[in-house]
């Protein structure tokens, strides 16, 4: 236990440990002395709520030009929402009852008590299940379905449903009782979404004094909650929560006409962007989806800048532009990026008709604002530009997708013909999310041949398993993880990047794991028709080493090789040295979605402290369909 504590102090810092302890003390104090909560509260007075200006005429015209099937999908989801069936995590139609029970989990069929103070409710309750399932309804992302359906049809039932849901939420969520007041980030997202949807309805000619008053109350209560508990997001979590709550405070302070607080939060935002992003655009939470979440918050901040009078500095703007470009560079043609790192299913502003895994809407919008030009030709993803920028007529100036290294961030991308390969090797300065150092994500002709497992759920054993080494395309010694973990989020004994080198046809990188117990070196070289990968390990640990290849495709194992099959066509032939076996594994493309995939394991004994794997990936022209 002493060694673990020393590691945590070394990696997370003594200040983090002190702040985390202080926050634990705060929660214990509130449980023992509930009256102490008032010492953390702030009095706020909301005097205006018109911070967003949404050009609904342009959005209406755009929606009516969408393919009929996409229009029907928008209307169908809105109609479902009328009866409490919400499109949750961009994947599931979860029934939250009619009228909506804002404390109910459709997965466990259990409700969290709405008359208990937030600090008395556990984040992880095995009976209630994953807290995020309950939170999903209260994020009000379904409000976008309602207003988009209204713009398509002109049917007032969608406005009436939104107004009724806001009223119902206030009735069932007294400040600061219940699970929906546990998290300041949830309050920020709820407040922003309700304000945007309210503003869109109002611009489209639908408004009522009751709804306006109710929205003002939600802004007041959300802002109060964020202020009362911001210490936790800023000093303890220090990730996307921090930027969410800073954005919430900027909006809350503006609504209260507190110019001093607005300026203070913009200054902190600048500091936080520099702290949480690398200069080359990588996000320090090591997650594609959390990087997108923060970029969507940047869209929000860009859109309100004319009202607040504050704009990002040239330095921050450049970082955000680089972040959008980084995602663009490791993107498949369909808009997908590797399912890298922790993925909680968040698409906080679902204002385009693309699949959840398609990152084009946000990448295009952020890049257009930060760089002054767009990255893609016109498409359905342009709707996001209309919501946050109000126009789509930016010149197209897209960089060439090619082999590129982001050494600060630890992203390495090799491209050749119709394929690309992404690997990661970070020199961690902040908390990792997954055990995925030197993971290999391989794409060919639009197919993610070797994939990342994703997340599934933070509260489920399957989710914990997907975060581990065995769920990534890496080298594993015995059954050891690259790092150690405790609970849902604490990872310690971080790996270290010791060497790395890359050019347009070659990558080489070495990691040190488990305090130098083993070193893994991975070399990847582009060949004429694929890739050759050399993996070597040096260790004092006895046993065996295993190379892992996870694939959503069908696998056919042959002697000293295996073949990957998609849609009854061979994609590639993989030659390996070692004992090959095939087993089932799992992948989660969306939160709370789990599908079975294949895992190829190639094993060797560790001899004389060493083990070497040689992998040749040769692509097969599926049009010729070689059955040899």
């Amino acid at each position: 236990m002493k060694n673990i504590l020393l590691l945590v102090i070394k990696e997370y810092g003594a200040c983090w440990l002190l702040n985390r302890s202080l926050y634990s003390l705060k929660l214990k104090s509130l449980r023992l002395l509930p009256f102490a909560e008032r010492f953390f509260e702030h009095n706020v007075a909301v005097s205006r709520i018109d911070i967003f200006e949404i050009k609904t005429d342009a959005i209406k015209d755009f929606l009516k030009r969408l393919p009929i099937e996409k229009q029907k999908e928008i209307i169908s989801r809105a109609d479902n929402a009328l009866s409490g069936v919400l499109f949750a995590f961009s994947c599931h139609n979860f029934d939250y009852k009619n009228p909506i029970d804002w404390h109910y989990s459709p997965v466990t069929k259990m409700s969290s008590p709405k008359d208990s103070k937030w600090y008395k409710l556990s984040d992880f309750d095995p009976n209630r299940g994953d807290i995020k399932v309950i939170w999903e309804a209260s994020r009000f992302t379904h409000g976008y379905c309602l207003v988009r359906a209204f713009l398509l049809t002109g049917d007032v039932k969608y406005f009436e449903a939104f107004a009724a849901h806001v009223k119902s939420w206030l009735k069932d969520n007294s400040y600061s009782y219940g699970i929906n007041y546990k998290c300041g980030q949830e309050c920020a997202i709820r407040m922003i979404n309700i304000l945007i949807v309210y503003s869109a309805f109002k611009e489209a000619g639908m408004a009522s004094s009751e709804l306006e008053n109710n929205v003002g109350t939600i802004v007041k209560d959300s802002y109060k909650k964020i202020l009362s508990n911001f210490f936790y997001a800023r000093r303890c979590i220090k990730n996307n929560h921090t930027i969410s709550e800073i954005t919430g405070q900027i909006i809350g302070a503006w609504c209260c006409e507190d110019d001093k607080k607005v300026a203070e939060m913009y200054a902190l935002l600048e500091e936080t962007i520099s702290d949480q992003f690398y200069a080359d655009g990588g996000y320090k939470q090591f997650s594609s989806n959390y990087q997108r979440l923060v970029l969507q918050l940047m869209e929000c901040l860009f859109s309100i800048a004319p009202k607040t009078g504050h704009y990002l500095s040239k330095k921050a703007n450049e970082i955000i532009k680089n972040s959008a470009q980084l995602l663009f560079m490791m993107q498949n043609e369909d808009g997908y990026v590797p399912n890298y790192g922790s993925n909680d299913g968040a698409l906080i502003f679902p204002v385009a008709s693309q699949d959840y895994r398609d990152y084009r809407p946000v990448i295009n919008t952020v890049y257009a604002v930060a760089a002054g030009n767009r990255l893609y030709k016109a498409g359905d993803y342009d709707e996001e530009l209309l919501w946050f920028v109000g126009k789509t007529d930016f010149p197209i100036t897209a960089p060439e997708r090619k082999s590129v290294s982001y050494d600060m961030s630890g992203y390495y991308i090799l491209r050749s013909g119709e394929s690309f390969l992404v690997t990661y090797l970070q020199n961690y300065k902040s908390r990792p999310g997954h055990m995925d150092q030197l993971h290999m994500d391989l794409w060919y002709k639009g197919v993610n041949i070797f994939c990342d497992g994703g997340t599934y759920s933070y509260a489920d054993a399957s989710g914990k398993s997907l975060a581990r080494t065995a769920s990534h395309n890496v080298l594993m010694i015995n059954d050891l993880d690259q790092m150690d973990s405790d609970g849902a989020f604490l990872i310690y004994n971080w790996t270290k990047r010791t060497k790395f080198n890359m050019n347009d046809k070659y990558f080489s990188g070495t990691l040190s794991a488990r305090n130098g117990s083993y070193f893994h070196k991975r070399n990847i070289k582009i060949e004429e028709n694929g890739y050759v990968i050399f993996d070597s390990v040096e260790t004092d640990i006895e046993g065996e080493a295993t190379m892992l290849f996870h694939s959503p495709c069908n696998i056919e194992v042959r002697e000293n090789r295996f073949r990957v099959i998609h849609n009854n066509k061979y994609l590639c032939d993989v030659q390996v040295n070692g004992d090959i076996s095939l087993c089932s594994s799992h992948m989660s493309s969306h939160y709370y979605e789990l599908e079975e995939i294949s895992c190829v394991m190639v094993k060797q004994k560790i001899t004389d402290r060493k083990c070497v794997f040689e992998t040749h990936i040769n692509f097969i022209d599926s049009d010729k369909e070689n059955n040899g």
Side-chain angles (χ1 to χ4, degrees), residues 307-319:
K307 286 288 185 77
T308 65
H310 291 268
Y311 296 81
L312 292 183
S313 68
K314 183 177 180 180
K315 176 184 176 182
N317 193 77
E318 184 70 12
I319 289 172

Side-chain angles (χ1 to χ4, degrees), residues 396-422:
I396 301 175
T397 310
E400 177 191 358
R401 287 197 181 105
K402 59 183 180 180
S403 296
V404 60
S405 65
Y406 293 89
D407 295 338
M408 283 182 263
S409 301
Y411 293 79
Y412 302 91
I413 305 163
L414 289 167
R415 285 189 176 267
S416 176
E418 295 181 277
S419 75
F420 70 96
L421 184 153
V422 182

Side-chain angles (χ1 to χ4, degrees), residues 95-278:
D95 188 349
Y96 286 90
K97 301 183 183 180
N98 189 20
I100 293 175
D101 183 343
W102 303 101
H103 303 267
Y104 174 72
S105 169
V107 174
T108 62
K109 314 300 182 187
M110 299 288 290
S111 291
S112 178
K114 64 181 180 181
D115 55 354
S116 294
K117 281 287 189 175
W118 65 271
Y119 49 78
K120 293 184 178 180
L121 300 171
S122 170
D123 284 354
F124 298 97
D125 182 336
N127 295 316
R128 179 203 64 218
D130 193 329
I131 195 172
K132 292 186 68 62
V133 175
I134 298 177
W135 281 348
E136 185 73 0
S138 290
R139 285 188 166 189
F140 269 83
T141 51
H142 68 278
Y144 296 104
C145 291
L146 295 173
V147 72
R148 293 168 82 213
F150 171 76
L151 293 174
L152 272 170
T153 67
D155 197 324
V156 297
K157 68 182 181 181
Y158 300 115
F159 169 74
E160 291 169 349
F162 175 69
H165 288 178
V166 172
K167 181 178 180 180
S168 166
W169 194 92
L170 275 174
K171 180 181 177 182
D172 286 352
N173 290 272
S174 300
Y175 186 86
S176 57
Y177 288 85
I179 206 165
N180 293 313
Y181 278 110
K182 270 195 71 66
C183 176
Q185 180 183 46
E186 294 302 313
C187 291
I189 292 172
R190 174 166 56 253
M191 175 177 67
I192 294 167
N193 284 334
I194 287 174
L195 279 169
I196 292 174
V197 174
Y198 160 79
S199 299
F201 271 122
K202 186 176 181 181
E203 175 64 23
M206 302 302 298
S208 72
S209 57
E210 182 182 39
L211 175 59
E212 183 176 347
N213 290 334
N214 288 338
V215 171
T217 300
I218 283 179
V219 171
K220 172 177 68 70
D221 290 347
S222 299
Y223 184 36
K224 282 178 63 177
K225 169 61 187 179
I226 298 168
L227 289 171
S228 71
N229 214 44
F230 183 56
F231 172 86
Y232 180 60
R234 183 181 181 185
R235 301 298 185 187
C236 300
I237 304 184
K238 298 194 288 187
N239 57 18
N240 69 92
H241 284 246
T242 315
I243 295 180
S244 299
E245 295 188 31
I246 290 172
T247 306
Q249 287 183 79
I250 288 170
I251 293 172
W254 185 90
C255 290
C256 294
E257 298 190 76
D258 187 346
D259 294 339
K260 182 179 178 181
K261 185 70 174 180
V262 170
E264 176 190 335
M265 285 299 106
Y266 269 102
L268 182 58
L269 175 66
E270 291 280 336
E271 177 186 317
T272 306
I273 288 173
S274 293
D275 179 60
Q276 292 195 14
F277 283 88
Y278 294 97

Side-chain angles (χ1 to χ4, degrees), residues 452-609:
D452 193 306
T455 294
Y456 182 64
S457 167
Y458 293 143
D460 187 275
S462 296
K464 295 180 177 70
S465 175
L466 288 173
R468 298 184 63 182
T469 305
S471 288
H472 297 93
N473 303 322
V474 296
L475 182 150
M476 185 170 69
I477 295 181
N478 297 327
D479 60 351
L480 293 176
D481 278 319
Q482 292 179 342
M483 297 171 273
D484 292 307
S485 63
D486 185 26
F489 301 113
L490 184 66
I491 292 179
Y492 59 96
N493 202 2
W494 300 343
T495 61
K496 295 179 175 62
R497 179 175 65 184
T498 60
K499 295 179 182 178
F500 64 94
N501 183 36
M502 183 176 162
N503 58 38
D504 59 351
K505 293 185 179 297
Y506 175 81
F507 164 80
S508 176
T510 303
L511 68 83
S512 169
R514 308 191 70 81
N515 286 326
S517 294
Y518 74 86
F519 293 85
H520 173 203
K521 181 178 182 180
R522 169 162 277 183
N523 294 343
I524 305 171
K525 183 180 179 182
I526 295 175
E527 293 198 320
E528 183 178 352
N529 194 41
Y531 300 84
V532 60
I533 303 170
F534 292 94
D535 290 279
S536 61
V537 63
E538 295 184 9
T539 181
D540 290 326
I541 301 171
E542 297 181 350
E544 62 183 12
T546 306
M547 283 294 305
L548 300 167
F549 301 87
H550 295 82
S551 179
C553 303
N554 293 322
I555 302 295
E556 183 181 281
V557 175
R558 303 185 180 188
E559 185 178 358
N560 296 326
R561 64 178 182 168
F562 63 92
R563 286 195 162 187
V564 179
I565 307 164
H566 179 71
N567 288 339
N568 297 317
K569 293 183 178 181
Y570 290 114
L571 288 182
C572 66
D573 181 272
V574 184
Q575 298 176 346
V576 294
N577 62 318
D579 297 326
I580 305 176
S581 61
L582 182 65
C583 67
S584 64
S585 186
H586 291 94
M587 176 180 71
S588 175
S589 289
H590 303 79
Y591 202 70
Y592 245 88
E593 177 190 60
L594 202 62
E595 61 180 284
E596 189 171 303
I597 61 172
S598 299
C599 177
V600 179
M601 298 184 294
V602 184
K603 295 180 182 290
Q604 288 188 38
K605 289 287 185 182
I606 297 171
T607 305
D608 295 330
R609 300 181 65 249

Side-chain angles (χ1 to χ4, degrees), residues 353-471:
S353 297
Q354 270 55 51
D355 183 81
Y356 167 79
R357 291 284 306 277
D358 186 344
Y359 278 46
R360 285 176 294 183
V362 63
I363 292 174
N364 201 40
T365 303
V366 170
Y367 197 85
V369 176
N373 51 64
R374 52 186 295 142
L375 292 168
Y376 315 98
K377 64 181 182 180
D380 296 346
Y381 36 76
D382 283 348
E383 187 184 348
E384 193 149 335
L385 269 168
L386 290 176
W387 280 90
F388 292 101
V389 185
K391 63 177 184 176
T392 62
D393 57 339
F394 292 88
I396 301 175
T397 310
E400 177 191 358
R401 287 197 181 105
K402 59 183 180 180
S403 296
V404 60
S405 65
Y406 293 89
D407 295 338
M408 283 182 263
S409 301
Y411 293 79
Y412 302 91
I413 305 163
L414 289 167
R415 285 189 176 267
S416 176
E418 295 181 277
S419 75
F420 70 96
L421 184 153
V422 182
T423 190
Y424 316 102
L425 184 57
Q426 276 88 16
N427 198 26
Y428 291 124
K429 302 297 183 184
S430 58
R431 180 184 68 184
H434 278 203
M435 319 269 189
D436 54 10
Q437 288 279 64
L438 290 177
H439 164 83
M440 172 187 66
D441 229 82
L442 179 64
W443 302 65
Y444 177 60
K445 290 189 173 182
V447 180
N448 193 184
I449 292 178
F450 299 133
C451 64
D452 193 306
T455 294
Y456 182 64
S457 167
Y458 293 143
D460 187 275
S462 296
K464 295 180 177 70
S465 175
L466 288 173
R468 298 184 63 182
T469 305
S471 288

Side-chain angles (χ1 to χ4, degrees), residues 327-345:
L327 289 173
F328 174 83
M329 295 300 286
M330 66 175 188
Q331 191 174 41
N332 190 38
E333 291 299 324
D334 63 0
Y336 281 36
V337 301
N339 195 17
Y340 169 58
S342 300
N343 184 348
D344 71 344

